[in-house]
Amino acid sequence: MKAGALIRLSWLAALALMAAPAAAATIEVTIDKLVFSPATVEAKVGDTIEWVNNDVVAHTATVKGGWDVMIPPKKSASLTLKAAGAVDYFCRFHPNMRGHLDVSP
Amino acid sequence: MLTRYTAALAAVLFVSAAPFAQAADKPTDPQIAHIAYTAGVLDIEAAKQAIKTSKNKEVVAFAKDMERDHEAVNKQALDLVKKLKVKPEDNATSQALSKAAEEERAKLAKLKGAAFDKAYIENEVAYHKQVNGALETLLIPSASNAELKSLLETGLKIFQGHEQHAEHVAGMLK
Ligand SMILES: [Cu+2]
């Protein structure tokens, strides 16, 4: 094989790697004593957020005018992100609980 | 010691002149456990009255949240006192709280419709404010057992959430 062809091939391989969409990830947010942690999460469209509730009371992850995820005590619940953008969310039962997501396309 | 207690009492008095003013002395752990548990039971009873009486969807949902959360916290409290072998001890503060709640219940029993909803939610705001003030300034600082203190601290955060939730519902009723 000629050196030129070899270089072209490796270029193609590199391009293919860059173009391949990154596999969707699951990002865990734990809830302990009414605190979402991490409080801010950076994610991509297609990623899933999984809230793990360690408290004895139920919480929600709620976006005003948007989605609402119920997280029972000592259980977890998840949501797959469908839209890009920055969102603030809170717990409907305990509005003093707040979290933030930065979702990139 | 006396000055510190007087300051704590003054802070409670500032929040509300009601039941907690009657605490004659710095409460002991068995008394604190009793006060915290009683405060929960009283809010559960208020919730049951609201679930039965109210026709407002938001008010009933709020009352169900109160019932569920306070039952969960009180179960934790019972488990803890059992583990610590502490016997909750009745005291003047618990009794004053119960008496005030009984009067409130009788007052609410005479109301219905929007008047009931408004009075119930307004009392929920005031009640959580009062209990949270007492937790912050008197009960948490007085607790000597670390696990009891930690349970009270988590309880405070939950009840501060309830206070905000109640304020939100009160705003919607206006
Ligand atoms: Cu919550």
Side-chain angles (χ1 to χ4, degrees):
Chain A
M1 203 184 276
K2 272 192 261 175
L6 197 69
I7 289 168
R8 209 163 59 217
L9 208 75
S10 57
W11 259 107
L12 277 171
L15 274 173
L17 265 179
M18 277 162 57
T26 295
I27 302 162
E28 194 177 295
V29 175
T30 60
I31 303 171
D32 234 317
K33 297 184 175 164
L34 290 93
V35 175
F36 290 114
S37 103
T40 295
V41 164
E42 300 204 356
K44 292 192 185 68
V45 170
D47 286 352
T48 296
I49 307 291
E50 184 178 25
W51 287 275
V52 180
N53 183 2
N54 292 321
D55 287 344
V56 297
V57 295
H59 298 299
T60 74
T62 302
V63 172
K64 213 173 173 180
W67 42 263
D68 181 70
V69 180
M70 177 74 163
I71 318 154
K74 304 282 176 193
K75 294 230 159 67
S76 50
S78 53
L79 174 83
T80 299
L81 302 167
K82 296 209 167 66
V87 274
D88 287 315
Y89 68 92
F90 67 103
C91 168
R92 268 192 293 123
F93 306 143
H94 315 102
N96 48 345
M97 295 172 66
R98 305 189 156 271
H100 183 85
L101 303 176
D102 279 316
V103 189
S104 51
Chain B
M1 200 65 203
L2 186 67
T3 9
R4 206 171 68 193
Y5 170 65
T6 313
L9 186 65
V12 173
L13 280 168
F14 184 74
V15 173
S16 158
F20 291 98
Q22 298 193 12
D25 207 348
K26 186 181 150 174
T28 62
D29 282 4
Q31 289 172 339
I32 291 168
H34 196 280
I35 295 168
Y37 189 83
T38 303
V41 167
L42 296 173
D43 203 50
I44 292 168
E45 283 171 8
K48 287 191 165 134
Q49 185 182 25
I51 292 165
K52 215 165 60 184
T53 311
S54 180
K55 304 262 187 293
N56 183 299
K57 215 180 85 195
E58 295 289 342
V59 171
V60 172
F62 172 83
K64 284 183 175 163
D65 293 342
M66 292 306 106
E67 188 184 29
R68 199 187 56 230
D69 272 17
H70 284 283
E71 268 171 4
V73 174
N74 268 6
K75 190 184 168 296
Q76 284 283 101
L78 277 190
D79 291 348
L80 180 63
V81 297
K82 209 180 282 170
K83 185 185 143 200
L84 298 176
K85 298 191 166 65
V86 165
K87 194 169 176 290
E89 184 191 307
D90 198 3
N91 58 87
T93 304
S94 291
Q95 286 160 17
L97 267 180
S98 300
K99 187 166 171 282
E102 202 179 301
E103 285 164 11
E104 183 65 29
R105 218 168 20 243
K107 204 179 92 191
L108 286 171
K110 294 189 192 113
L111 304 173
K112 54 188 173 199
F116 173 90
D117 295 338
K118 194 167 176 294
Y120 166 67
I121 292 295
E122 272 170 11
N123 187 56
E124 283 298 291
V125 174
Y127 184 72
H128 280 91
K129 212 170 258 176
Q130 181 196 17
V131 171
N132 292 342
L135 277 167
E136 233 166 344
T137 57
L138 184 64
L139 304 180
I140 292 171
S142 303
S144 52
N145 180 277
E147 282 181 80
L148 177 63
K149 204 187 264 281
S150 158
L151 177 69
L152 295 172
E153 280 163 353
T154 307
L156 175 60
K157 277 205 213 160
I158 295 174
F159 310 151
Q160 282 169 338
H162 292 172
E163 187 182 322
Q164 287 188 18
H165 191 182
E167 274 166 357
H168 177 75
V169 178
M172 287 193 312
L173 292 180
K174 272 182 191 137

